[in-house]
PDB file of all heavy atoms in Angstrom:
ATOM      1  N   SER A   1      -3.635 -37.932 -17.939  1.00  0.00           N
ATOM      2  CA  SER A   1      -4.995 -37.843 -18.444  1.00  0.00           C
ATOM      3  C   SER A   1      -5.328 -36.400 -18.803  1.00  0.00           C
ATOM      4  O   SER A   1      -4.544 -35.473 -18.543  1.00  0.00           O
ATOM      5  CB  SER A   1      -5.981 -38.355 -17.395  1.00  0.00           C
ATOM      6  OG  SER A   1      -5.897 -37.560 -16.221  1.00  0.00           O
ATOM      7  N   ASN A   2      -6.490 -36.227 -19.385  1.00  0.00           N
ATOM      8  CA  ASN A   2      -6.914 -34.893 -19.783  1.00  0.00           C
ATOM      9  C   ASN A   2      -7.110 -33.993 -18.568  1.00  0.00           C
ATOM     10  O   ASN A   2      -6.734 -32.817 -18.582  1.00  0.00           O
ATOM     11  CB  ASN A   2      -8.212 -35.001 -20.590  1.00  0.00           C
ATOM     12  CG  ASN A   2      -8.684 -33.659 -21.091  1.00  0.00           C
ATOM     13  OD1 ASN A   2      -9.454 -32.972 -20.430  1.00  0.00           O
ATOM     14  ND2 ASN A   2      -8.211 -33.281 -22.273  1.00  0.00           N
ATOM     15  N   THR A   3      -7.677 -34.551 -17.497  1.00  0.00           N
ATOM     16  CA  THR A   3      -7.909 -33.751 -16.293  1.00  0.00           C
ATOM     17  C   THR A   3      -6.602 -33.343 -15.631  1.00  0.00           C
ATOM     18  O   THR A   3      -6.435 -32.191 -15.203  1.00  0.00           O
ATOM     19  CB  THR A   3      -8.767 -34.555 -15.294  1.00  0.00           C
ATOM     20  OG1 THR A   3      -9.964 -34.971 -15.938  1.00  0.00           O
ATOM     21  CG2 THR A   3      -9.111 -33.727 -14.078  1.00  0.00           C
ATOM     22  N   LYS A   4      -5.653 -34.282 -15.538  1.00  0.00           N
ATOM     23  CA  LYS A   4      -4.362 -33.955 -14.941  1.00  0.00           C
ATOM     24  C   LYS A   4      -3.600 -32.943 -15.784  1.00  0.00           C
ATOM     25  O   LYS A   4      -2.944 -32.029 -15.246  1.00  0.00           O
ATOM     26  CB  LYS A   4      -3.540 -35.228 -14.762  1.00  0.00           C
ATOM     27  CG  LYS A   4      -2.258 -35.008 -13.987  1.00  0.00           C
ATOM     28  CD  LYS A   4      -1.544 -36.326 -13.717  1.00  0.00           C
ATOM     29  CE  LYS A   4      -0.270 -36.088 -12.899  1.00  0.00           C
ATOM     30  NZ  LYS A   4       0.426 -37.380 -12.611  1.00  0.00           N
ATOM     31  N   ALA A   5      -3.672 -33.078 -17.087  1.00  0.00           N
ATOM     32  CA  ALA A   5      -2.997 -32.113 -17.955  1.00  0.00           C
ATOM     33  C   ALA A   5      -3.586 -30.717 -17.801  1.00  0.00           C
ATOM     34  O   ALA A   5      -2.857 -29.713 -17.773  1.00  0.00           O
ATOM     35  CB  ALA A   5      -3.105 -32.572 -19.411  1.00  0.00           C
ATOM     36  N   LEU A   6      -4.917 -30.642 -17.689  1.00  0.00           N
ATOM     37  CA  LEU A   6      -5.548 -29.347 -17.481  1.00  0.00           C
ATOM     38  C   LEU A   6      -5.155 -28.752 -16.133  1.00  0.00           C
ATOM     39  O   LEU A   6      -4.918 -27.545 -16.013  1.00  0.00           O
ATOM     40  CB  LEU A   6      -7.069 -29.490 -17.578  1.00  0.00           C
ATOM     41  CG  LEU A   6      -7.896 -28.210 -17.452  1.00  0.00           C
ATOM     42  CD1 LEU A   6      -7.533 -27.229 -18.549  1.00  0.00           C
ATOM     43  CD2 LEU A   6      -9.382 -28.528 -17.512  1.00  0.00           C
ATOM     44  N   GLY A   7      -5.075 -29.601 -15.100  1.00  0.00           N
ATOM     45  CA  GLY A   7      -4.643 -29.112 -13.795  1.00  0.00           C
ATOM     46  C   GLY A   7      -3.211 -28.617 -13.808  1.00  0.00           C
ATOM     47  O   GLY A   7      -2.878 -27.601 -13.173  1.00  0.00           O
ATOM     48  N   ILE A   8      -2.335 -29.300 -14.540  1.00  0.00           N
ATOM     49  CA  ILE A   8      -0.942 -28.855 -14.641  1.00  0.00           C
ATOM     50  C   ILE A   8      -0.862 -27.493 -15.319  1.00  0.00           C
ATOM     51  O   ILE A   8      -0.107 -26.599 -14.893  1.00  0.00           O
ATOM     52  CB  ILE A   8      -0.112 -29.912 -15.404  1.00  0.00           C
ATOM     53  CG1 ILE A   8      -0.011 -31.193 -14.573  1.00  0.00           C
ATOM     54  CG2 ILE A   8       1.270 -29.378 -15.739  1.00  0.00           C
ATOM     55  CD1 ILE A   8       0.641 -32.339 -15.308  1.00  0.00           C
ATOM     56  N   LEU A   9      -1.647 -27.296 -16.366  1.00  0.00           N
ATOM     57  CA  LEU A   9      -1.642 -26.004 -17.054  1.00  0.00           C
ATOM     58  C   LEU A   9      -2.201 -24.895 -16.172  1.00  0.00           C
ATOM     59  O   LEU A   9      -1.666 -23.778 -16.147  1.00  0.00           O
ATOM     60  CB  LEU A   9      -2.463 -26.103 -18.344  1.00  0.00           C
ATOM     61  CG  LEU A   9      -1.831 -26.877 -19.502  1.00  0.00           C
ATOM     62  CD1 LEU A   9      -2.800 -26.957 -20.668  1.00  0.00           C
ATOM     63  CD2 LEU A   9      -0.535 -26.214 -19.939  1.00  0.00           C
ATOM     64  N   LEU A  10      -3.265 -25.191 -15.434  1.00  0.00           N
ATOM     65  CA  LEU A  10      -3.881 -24.152 -14.611  1.00  0.00           C
ATOM     66  C   LEU A  10      -2.969 -23.712 -13.467  1.00  0.00           C
ATOM     67  O   LEU A  10      -2.879 -22.514 -13.173  1.00  0.00           O
ATOM     68  CB  LEU A  10      -5.220 -24.658 -14.044  1.00  0.00           C
ATOM     69  CG  LEU A  10      -6.393 -24.720 -15.012  1.00  0.00           C
ATOM     70  CD1 LEU A  10      -7.626 -25.282 -14.323  1.00  0.00           C
ATOM     71  CD2 LEU A  10      -6.712 -23.333 -15.571  1.00  0.00           C
ATOM     72  N   TYR A  11      -2.286 -24.665 -12.837  1.00  0.00           N
ATOM     73  CA  TYR A  11      -1.509 -24.351 -11.638  1.00  0.00           C
ATOM     74  C   TYR A  11      -0.028 -24.134 -11.918  1.00  0.00           C
ATOM     75  O   TYR A  11       0.760 -24.034 -10.977  1.00  0.00           O
ATOM     76  CB  TYR A  11      -1.688 -25.453 -10.602  1.00  0.00           C
ATOM     77  CG  TYR A  11      -3.074 -25.471 -10.023  1.00  0.00           C
ATOM     78  CD1 TYR A  11      -4.018 -26.377 -10.477  1.00  0.00           C
ATOM     79  CD2 TYR A  11      -3.459 -24.568  -9.038  1.00  0.00           C
ATOM     80  CE1 TYR A  11      -5.313 -26.387  -9.967  1.00  0.00           C
ATOM     81  CE2 TYR A  11      -4.747 -24.572  -8.519  1.00  0.00           C
ATOM     82  CZ  TYR A  11      -5.658 -25.485  -8.992  1.00  0.00           C
ATOM     83  OH  TYR A  11      -6.935 -25.488  -8.491  1.00  0.00           O
ATOM     84  N   THR A  12       0.355 -24.077 -13.181  1.00  0.00           N
ATOM     85  CA  THR A  12       1.738 -23.729 -13.529  1.00  0.00           C
ATOM     86  C   THR A  12       1.783 -22.519 -14.453  1.00  0.00           C
ATOM     87  O   THR A  12       2.200 -21.442 -14.053  1.00  0.00           O
ATOM     88  CB  THR A  12       2.439 -24.929 -14.191  1.00  0.00           C
ATOM     89  OG1 THR A  12       1.649 -25.377 -15.313  1.00  0.00           O
ATOM     90  CG2 THR A  12       2.626 -26.069 -13.208  1.00  0.00           C
ATOM     91  N   LYS A  13       1.298 -22.695 -15.662  1.00  0.00           N
ATOM     92  CA  LYS A  13       1.380 -21.610 -16.643  1.00  0.00           C
ATOM     93  C   LYS A  13       0.345 -20.527 -16.401  1.00  0.00           C
ATOM     94  O   LYS A  13       0.613 -19.336 -16.596  1.00  0.00           O
ATOM     95  CB  LYS A  13       1.215 -22.189 -18.053  1.00  0.00           C
ATOM     96  CG  LYS A  13       1.432 -21.166 -19.157  1.00  0.00           C
ATOM     97  CD  LYS A  13       1.345 -21.838 -20.526  1.00  0.00           C
ATOM     98  CE  LYS A  13       1.582 -20.813 -21.635  1.00  0.00           C
ATOM     99  NZ  LYS A  13       1.493 -21.455 -22.970  1.00  0.00           N
ATOM    100  N   TYR A  14      -0.856 -20.926 -15.967  1.00  0.00           N
ATOM    101  CA  TYR A  14      -1.953 -19.963 -15.774  1.00  0.00           C
ATOM    102  C   TYR A  14      -2.300 -19.805 -14.293  1.00  0.00           C
ATOM    103  O   TYR A  14      -3.471 -19.638 -13.945  1.00  0.00           O
ATOM    104  CB  TYR A  14      -3.194 -20.421 -16.547  1.00  0.00           C
ATOM    105  CG  TYR A  14      -2.971 -20.524 -18.039  1.00  0.00           C
ATOM    106  CD1 TYR A  14      -2.752 -21.772 -18.636  1.00  0.00           C
ATOM    107  CD2 TYR A  14      -2.965 -19.394 -18.837  1.00  0.00           C
ATOM    108  CE1 TYR A  14      -2.542 -21.875 -19.997  1.00  0.00           C
ATOM    109  CE2 TYR A  14      -2.759 -19.491 -20.206  1.00  0.00           C
ATOM    110  CZ  TYR A  14      -2.544 -20.734 -20.780  1.00  0.00           C
ATOM    111  OH  TYR A  14      -2.336 -20.838 -22.124  1.00  0.00           O
ATOM    112  N   LEU A  15      -1.310 -19.866 -13.416  1.00  0.00           N
ATOM    113  CA  LEU A  15      -1.573 -19.765 -11.985  1.00  0.00           C
ATOM    114  C   LEU A  15      -2.050 -18.367 -11.595  1.00  0.00           C
ATOM    115  O   LEU A  15      -3.055 -18.227 -10.879  1.00  0.00           O
ATOM    116  CB  LEU A  15      -0.316 -20.131 -11.196  1.00  0.00           C
ATOM    117  CG  LEU A  15      -0.440 -20.028  -9.676  1.00  0.00           C
ATOM    118  CD1 LEU A  15      -1.524 -20.968  -9.161  1.00  0.00           C
ATOM    119  CD2 LEU A  15       0.890 -20.327  -9.002  1.00  0.00           C
ATOM    120  N   TYR A  16      -1.356 -17.329 -12.060  1.00  0.00           N
ATOM    121  CA  TYR A  16      -1.739 -15.960 -11.690  1.00  0.00           C
ATOM    122  C   TYR A  16      -3.105 -15.561 -12.264  1.00  0.00           C
ATOM    123  O   TYR A  16      -3.914 -14.959 -11.552  1.00  0.00           O
ATOM    124  CB  TYR A  16      -0.658 -14.978 -12.126  1.00  0.00           C
ATOM    125  CG  TYR A  16       0.619 -15.117 -11.342  1.00  0.00           C
ATOM    126  CD1 TYR A  16       1.783 -15.599 -11.932  1.00  0.00           C
ATOM    127  CD2 TYR A  16       0.667 -14.796  -9.982  1.00  0.00           C
ATOM    128  CE1 TYR A  16       2.956 -15.748 -11.210  1.00  0.00           C
ATOM    129  CE2 TYR A  16       1.836 -14.939  -9.251  1.00  0.00           C
ATOM    130  CZ  TYR A  16       2.977 -15.420  -9.870  1.00  0.00           C
ATOM    131  OH  TYR A  16       4.121 -15.566  -9.144  1.00  0.00           O
ATOM    132  N   PRO A  17      -3.417 -15.861 -13.525  1.00  0.00           N
ATOM    133  CA  PRO A  17      -4.804 -15.582 -13.989  1.00  0.00           C
ATOM    134  C   PRO A  17      -5.864 -16.342 -13.203  1.00  0.00           C
ATOM    135  O   PRO A  17      -6.953 -15.815 -12.950  1.00  0.00           O
ATOM    136  CB  PRO A  17      -4.777 -16.031 -15.458  1.00  0.00           C
ATOM    137  CG  PRO A  17      -3.356 -15.909 -15.865  1.00  0.00           C
ATOM    138  CD  PRO A  17      -2.558 -16.269 -14.648  1.00  0.00           C
ATOM    139  N   LEU A  18      -5.542 -17.583 -12.772  1.00  0.00           N
ATOM    140  CA  LEU A  18      -6.500 -18.350 -11.971  1.00  0.00           C
ATOM    141  C   LEU A  18      -6.730 -17.690 -10.617  1.00  0.00           C
ATOM    142  O   LEU A  18      -7.876 -17.585 -10.146  1.00  0.00           O
ATOM    143  CB  LEU A  18      -5.993 -19.779 -11.788  1.00  0.00           C
ATOM    144  CG  LEU A  18      -6.883 -20.711 -10.953  1.00  0.00           C
ATOM    145  CD1 LEU A  18      -8.208 -20.949 -11.654  1.00  0.00           C
ATOM    146  CD2 LEU A  18      -6.174 -22.032 -10.693  1.00  0.00           C
ATOM    147  N   GLU A  19      -5.682 -17.214  -9.983  1.00  0.00           N
ATOM    148  CA  GLU A  19      -5.830 -16.548  -8.690  1.00  0.00           C
ATOM    149  C   GLU A  19      -6.575 -15.218  -8.837  1.00  0.00           C
ATOM    150  O   GLU A  19      -7.386 -14.862  -7.969  1.00  0.00           O
ATOM    151  CB  GLU A  19      -4.451 -16.317  -8.065  1.00  0.00           C
ATOM    152  CG  GLU A  19      -3.759 -17.608  -7.652  1.00  0.00           C
ATOM    153  CD  GLU A  19      -2.398 -17.343  -7.041  1.00  0.00           C
ATOM    154  OE1 GLU A  19      -1.941 -16.183  -7.123  1.00  0.00           O
ATOM    155  OE2 GLU A  19      -1.804 -18.278  -6.473  1.00  0.00           O
ATOM    156  N   ILE A  20      -6.313 -14.497  -9.905  1.00  0.00           N
ATOM    157  CA  ILE A  20      -7.035 -13.236 -10.141  1.00  0.00           C
ATOM    158  C   ILE A  20      -8.523 -13.501 -10.355  1.00  0.00           C
ATOM    159  O   ILE A  20      -9.388 -12.793  -9.818  1.00  0.00           O
ATOM    160  CB  ILE A  20      -6.423 -12.493 -11.340  1.00  0.00           C
ATOM    161  CG1 ILE A  20      -5.000 -12.023 -11.005  1.00  0.00           C
ATOM    162  CG2 ILE A  20      -7.284 -11.294 -11.733  1.00  0.00           C
ATOM    163  CD1 ILE A  20      -4.271 -11.431 -12.184  1.00  0.00           C
ATOM    164  N   ALA A  21      -8.848 -14.545 -11.130  1.00  0.00           N
ATOM    165  CA  ALA A  21     -10.255 -14.890 -11.350  1.00  0.00           C
ATOM    166  C   ALA A  21     -10.926 -15.308 -10.051  1.00  0.00           C
ATOM    167  O   ALA A  21     -12.083 -14.945  -9.787  1.00  0.00           O
ATOM    168  CB  ALA A  21     -10.356 -16.005 -12.393  1.00  0.00           C
ATOM    169  N   ALA A  22     -10.213 -16.062  -9.203  1.00  0.00           N
ATOM    170  CA  ALA A  22     -10.776 -16.467  -7.915  1.00  0.00           C
ATOM    171  C   ALA A  22     -11.020 -15.253  -7.019  1.00  0.00           C
ATOM    172  O   ALA A  22     -12.049 -15.168  -6.336  1.00  0.00           O
ATOM    173  CB  ALA A  22      -9.843 -17.455  -7.227  1.00  0.00           C
ATOM    174  N   ALA A  23     -10.095 -14.288  -7.027  1.00  0.00           N
ATOM    175  CA  ALA A  23     -10.280 -13.071  -6.218  1.00  0.00           C
ATOM    176  C   ALA A  23     -11.467 -12.248  -6.723  1.00  0.00           C
ATOM    177  O   ALA A  23     -12.239 -11.706  -5.928  1.00  0.00           O
ATOM    178  CB  ALA A  23      -9.002 -12.235  -6.240  1.00  0.00           C
ATOM    179  N   ILE A  24     -11.639 -12.174  -8.044  1.00  0.00           N
ATOM    180  CA  ILE A  24     -12.770 -11.426  -8.606  1.00  0.00           C
ATOM    181  C   ILE A  24     -14.092 -12.083  -8.227  1.00  0.00           C
ATOM    182  O   ILE A  24     -15.069 -11.413  -7.863  1.00  0.00           O
ATOM    183  CB  ILE A  24     -12.619 -11.320 -10.138  1.00  0.00           C
ATOM    184  CG1 ILE A  24     -11.415 -10.431 -10.486  1.00  0.00           C
ATOM    185  CG2 ILE A  24     -13.882 -10.740 -10.772  1.00  0.00           C
ATOM    186  CD1 ILE A  24     -11.118 -10.383 -11.970  1.00  0.00           C
ATOM    187  N   LEU A  25     -14.134 -13.421  -8.285  1.00  0.00           N
ATOM    188  CA  LEU A  25     -15.356 -14.124  -7.882  1.00  0.00           C
ATOM    189  C   LEU A  25     -15.649 -13.933  -6.401  1.00  0.00           C
ATOM    190  O   LEU A  25     -16.814 -13.786  -6.005  1.00  0.00           O
ATOM    191  CB  LEU A  25     -15.224 -15.613  -8.207  1.00  0.00           C
ATOM    192  CG  LEU A  25     -15.212 -15.992  -9.693  1.00  0.00           C
ATOM    193  CD1 LEU A  25     -14.963 -17.473  -9.860  1.00  0.00           C
ATOM    194  CD2 LEU A  25     -16.512 -15.584 -10.358  1.00  0.00           C
ATOM    195  N   LEU A  26     -14.607 -13.909  -5.571  1.00  0.00           N
ATOM    196  CA  LEU A  26     -14.809 -13.693  -4.138  1.00  0.00           C
ATOM    197  C   LEU A  26     -15.345 -12.286  -3.870  1.00  0.00           C
ATOM    198  O   LEU A  26     -16.264 -12.105  -3.062  1.00  0.00           O
ATOM    199  CB  LEU A  26     -13.489 -13.908  -3.390  1.00  0.00           C
ATOM    200  CG  LEU A  26     -13.531 -13.677  -1.877  1.00  0.00           C
ATOM    201  CD1 LEU A  26     -14.503 -14.643  -1.209  1.00  0.00           C
ATOM    202  CD2 LEU A  26     -12.139 -13.823  -1.277  1.00  0.00           C
ATOM    203  N   VAL A  27     -14.796 -11.294  -4.571  1.00  0.00           N
ATOM    204  CA  VAL A  27     -15.291  -9.923  -4.407  1.00  0.00           C
ATOM    205  C   VAL A  27     -16.738  -9.810  -4.872  1.00  0.00           C
ATOM    206  O   VAL A  27     -17.575  -9.155  -4.240  1.00  0.00           O
ATOM    207  CB  VAL A  27     -14.383  -8.947  -5.172  1.00  0.00           C
ATOM    208  CG1 VAL A  27     -14.987  -7.539  -5.195  1.00  0.00           C
ATOM    209  CG2 VAL A  27     -13.003  -8.895  -4.536  1.00  0.00           C
ATOM    210  N   GLY A  28     -17.070 -10.472  -5.985  1.00  0.00           N
ATOM    211  CA  GLY A  28     -18.448 -10.454  -6.460  1.00  0.00           C
ATOM    212  C   GLY A  28     -19.410 -11.111  -5.493  1.00  0.00           C
ATOM    213  O   GLY A  28     -20.532 -10.627  -5.290  1.00  0.00           O
ATOM    214  N   MET A  29     -19.000 -12.208  -4.872  1.00  0.00           N
ATOM    215  CA  MET A  29     -19.857 -12.876  -3.899  1.00  0.00           C
ATOM    216  C   MET A  29     -20.090 -11.997  -2.677  1.00  0.00           C
ATOM    217  O   MET A  29     -21.219 -11.870  -2.187  1.00  0.00           O
ATOM    218  CB  MET A  29     -19.220 -14.208  -3.484  1.00  0.00           C
ATOM    219  CG  MET A  29     -20.043 -15.022  -2.496  1.00  0.00           C
ATOM    220  SD  MET A  29     -19.287 -16.601  -2.119  1.00  0.00           S
ATOM    221  CE  MET A  29     -17.790 -16.047  -1.302  1.00  0.00           C
ATOM    222  N   ILE A  30     -19.016 -11.360  -2.169  1.00  0.00           N
ATOM    223  CA  ILE A  30     -19.159 -10.480  -1.009  1.00  0.00           C
ATOM    224  C   ILE A  30     -20.027  -9.267  -1.364  1.00  0.00           C
ATOM    225  O   ILE A  30     -20.861  -8.825  -0.563  1.00  0.00           O
ATOM    226  CB  ILE A  30     -17.775 -10.045  -0.505  1.00  0.00           C
ATOM    227  CG1 ILE A  30     -16.993 -11.262  -0.001  1.00  0.00           C
ATOM    228  CG2 ILE A  30     -17.895  -9.012   0.606  1.00  0.00           C
ATOM    229  CD1 ILE A  30     -15.572 -10.955   0.397  1.00  0.00           C
ATOM    230  N   ALA A  31     -19.858  -8.723  -2.574  1.00  0.00           N
ATOM    231  CA  ALA A  31     -20.669  -7.579  -2.988  1.00  0.00           C
ATOM    232  C   ALA A  31     -22.140  -7.947  -3.111  1.00  0.00           C
ATOM    233  O   ALA A  31     -23.026  -7.164  -2.728  1.00  0.00           O
ATOM    234  CB  ALA A  31     -20.150  -7.036  -4.323  1.00  0.00           C
ATOM    235  N   ALA A  32     -22.430  -9.146  -3.617  1.00  0.00           N
ATOM    236  CA  ALA A  32     -23.825  -9.581  -3.720  1.00  0.00           C
ATOM    237  C   ALA A  32     -24.458  -9.729  -2.348  1.00  0.00           C
ATOM    238  O   ALA A  32     -25.618  -9.345  -2.125  1.00  0.00           O
ATOM    239  CB  ALA A  32     -23.901 -10.892  -4.497  1.00  0.00           C
ATOM    240  N   ILE A  33     -23.706 -10.269  -1.388  1.00  0.00           N
ATOM    241  CA  ILE A  33     -24.238 -10.408  -0.025  1.00  0.00           C
ATOM    242  C   ILE A  33     -24.459  -9.042   0.611  1.00  0.00           C
ATOM    243  O   ILE A  33     -25.470  -8.796   1.280  1.00  0.00           O
ATOM    244  CB  ILE A  33     -23.280 -11.266   0.830  1.00  0.00           C
ATOM    245  CG1 ILE A  33     -23.220 -12.685   0.266  1.00  0.00           C
ATOM    246  CG2 ILE A  33     -23.724 -11.295   2.283  1.00  0.00           C
ATOM    247  CD1 ILE A  33     -22.177 -13.561   0.948  1.00  0.00           C
ATOM    248  N   ALA A  34     -23.511  -8.111   0.390  1.00  0.00           N
ATOM    249  CA  ALA A  34     -23.638  -6.777   0.981  1.00  0.00           C
ATOM    250  C   ALA A  34     -24.799  -5.993   0.383  1.00  0.00           C
ATOM    251  O   ALA A  34     -25.476  -5.234   1.082  1.00  0.00           O
ATOM    252  CB  ALA A  34     -22.330  -6.006   0.797  1.00  0.00           C
ATOM    253  N   LEU A  35     -25.054  -6.174  -0.911  1.00  0.00           N
ATOM    254  CA  LEU A  35     -26.151  -5.433  -1.551  1.00  0.00           C
ATOM    255  C   LEU A  35     -27.517  -5.954  -1.139  1.00  0.00           C
ATOM    256  O   LEU A  35     -28.487  -5.199  -1.062  1.00  0.00           O
ATOM    257  CB  LEU A  35     -26.001  -5.508  -3.072  1.00  0.00           C
ATOM    258  CG  LEU A  35     -24.820  -4.732  -3.680  1.00  0.00           C
ATOM    259  CD1 LEU A  35     -24.721  -4.999  -5.168  1.00  0.00           C
ATOM    260  CD2 LEU A  35     -24.975  -3.232  -3.418  1.00  0.00           C
ATOM    261  N   THR A  36     -27.621  -7.258  -0.899  1.00  0.00           N
ATOM    262  CA  THR A  36     -28.920  -7.841  -0.537  1.00  0.00           C
ATOM    263  C   THR A  36     -29.181  -7.842   0.959  1.00  0.00           C
ATOM    264  O   THR A  36     -30.299  -8.142   1.380  1.00  0.00           O
ATOM    265  CB  THR A  36     -29.002  -9.285  -1.053  1.00  0.00           C
ATOM    266  OG1 THR A  36     -27.879 -10.037  -0.543  1.00  0.00           O
ATOM    267  CG2 THR A  36     -28.960  -9.309  -2.573  1.00  0.00           C
ATOM    268  N   LEU A  37     -28.194  -7.507   1.774  1.00  0.00           N
ATOM    269  CA  LEU A  37     -28.373  -7.514   3.220  1.00  0.00           C
ATOM    270  C   LEU A  37     -29.044  -6.221   3.661  1.00  0.00           C
ATOM    271  O   LEU A  37     -28.541  -5.120   3.418  1.00  0.00           O
ATOM    272  CB  LEU A  37     -27.022  -7.671   3.924  1.00  0.00           C
ATOM    273  CG  LEU A  37     -27.068  -7.798   5.447  1.00  0.00           C
ATOM    274  CD1 LEU A  37     -27.860  -9.028   5.863  1.00  0.00           C
ATOM    275  CD2 LEU A  37     -25.659  -7.849   6.022  1.00  0.00           C
ATOM    276  N   ARG A  38     -30.173  -6.329   4.256  1.00  0.00           N
ATOM    277  CA  ARG A  38     -30.929  -5.166   4.724  1.00  0.00           C
ATOM    278  C   ARG A  38     -31.346  -5.385   6.170  1.00  0.00           C
ATOM    279  O   ARG A  38     -31.798  -6.467   6.541  1.00  0.00           O
ATOM    280  CB  ARG A  38     -32.191  -4.938   3.865  1.00  0.00           C
ATOM    281  CG  ARG A  38     -31.895  -4.578   2.417  1.00  0.00           C
ATOM    282  CD  ARG A  38     -31.316  -3.178   2.304  1.00  0.00           C
ATOM    283  NE  ARG A  38     -31.138  -2.783   0.922  1.00  0.00           N
ATOM    284  CZ  ARG A  38     -30.034  -3.006   0.218  1.00  0.00           C
ATOM    285  NH1 ARG A  38     -29.016  -3.660   0.786  1.00  0.00           N
ATOM    286  NH2 ARG A  38     -29.938  -2.612  -1.037  1.00  0.00           N
ATOM    287  N   HIS A  39     -31.189  -4.337   6.987  1.00  0.00           N
ATOM    288  CA  HIS A  39     -31.617  -4.389   8.377  1.00  0.00           C
ATOM    289  C   HIS A  39     -32.961  -3.671   8.494  1.00  0.00           C
ATOM    290  O   HIS A  39     -33.043  -2.446   8.381  1.00  0.00           O
ATOM    291  CB  HIS A  39     -30.576  -3.717   9.282  1.00  0.00           C
ATOM    292  CG  HIS A  39     -29.258  -4.432   9.308  1.00  0.00           C
ATOM    293  ND1 HIS A  39     -29.057  -5.611  10.001  1.00  0.00           N
ATOM    294  CD2 HIS A  39     -28.082  -4.149   8.700  1.00  0.00           C
ATOM    295  CE1 HIS A  39     -27.806  -6.007   9.835  1.00  0.00           C
ATOM    296  NE2 HIS A  39     -27.189  -5.141   9.049  1.00  0.00           N
ATOM    297  N   ARG A  40     -34.000  -4.428   8.702  1.00  0.00           N
ATOM    298  CA  ARG A  40     -35.341  -3.863   8.835  1.00  0.00           C
ATOM    299  C   ARG A  40     -35.587  -3.472  10.286  1.00  0.00           C
ATOM    300  O   ARG A  40     -35.286  -4.214  11.222  1.00  0.00           O
ATOM    301  CB  ARG A  40     -36.379  -4.881   8.373  1.00  0.00           C
ATOM    302  CG  ARG A  40     -36.264  -5.231   6.896  1.00  0.00           C
ATOM    303  CD  ARG A  40     -37.315  -6.257   6.506  1.00  0.00           C
ATOM    304  NE  ARG A  40     -38.655  -5.779   6.799  1.00  0.00           N
ATOM    305  CZ  ARG A  40     -39.764  -6.505   6.575  1.00  0.00           C
ATOM    306  NH1 ARG A  40     -39.645  -7.716   6.068  1.00  0.00           N
ATOM    307  NH2 ARG A  40     -40.939  -6.015   6.863  1.00  0.00           N
ATOM    308  N   LYS A  41     -36.162  -2.286  10.463  1.00  0.00           N
ATOM    309  CA  LYS A  41     -36.420  -1.795  11.810  1.00  0.00           C
ATOM    310  C   LYS A  41     -37.721  -2.355  12.392  1.00  0.00           C
ATOM    311  O   LYS A  41     -37.904  -2.321  13.601  1.00  0.00           O
ATOM    312  CB  LYS A  41     -36.484  -0.260  11.793  1.00  0.00           C
ATOM    313  CG  LYS A  41     -35.172   0.395  11.383  1.00  0.00           C
ATOM    314  CD  LYS A  41     -35.282   1.904  11.411  1.00  0.00           C
ATOM    315  CE  LYS A  41     -33.960   2.554  11.012  1.00  0.00           C
ATOM    316  NZ  LYS A  41     -34.034   4.029  11.014  1.00  0.00           N
TER     317      LYS A  41
END
């Protein structure tokens, strides 16, 4: 099917770009949490 074919392409030919994109999104999420976290006295 179309979904299975897309999954085969993502996890075979484009595996490293997919992992790099996932790492960038994880860093962005952690950075957003760190920037908005404030300790009020």
Side-chain angles (χ1 to χ4, degrees):
S1 61
N2 182 269
T3 305
K4 187 174 182 179
L6 183 60
I8 293 173
L9 287 176
L10 285 178
Y11 291 100
T12 54
K13 186 176 181 180
Y14 299 101
L15 178 61
Y16 291 111
L18 179 65
E19 292 180 350
I20 293 173
I24 292 174
L25 291 175
L26 178 61
V27 172
M29 182 177 65
I30 296 175
I33 296 173
L35 290 175
T36 55
L37 184 61
R38 295 289 185 270
H39 295 285
R40 296 179 57 181
K41 297 181 179 179

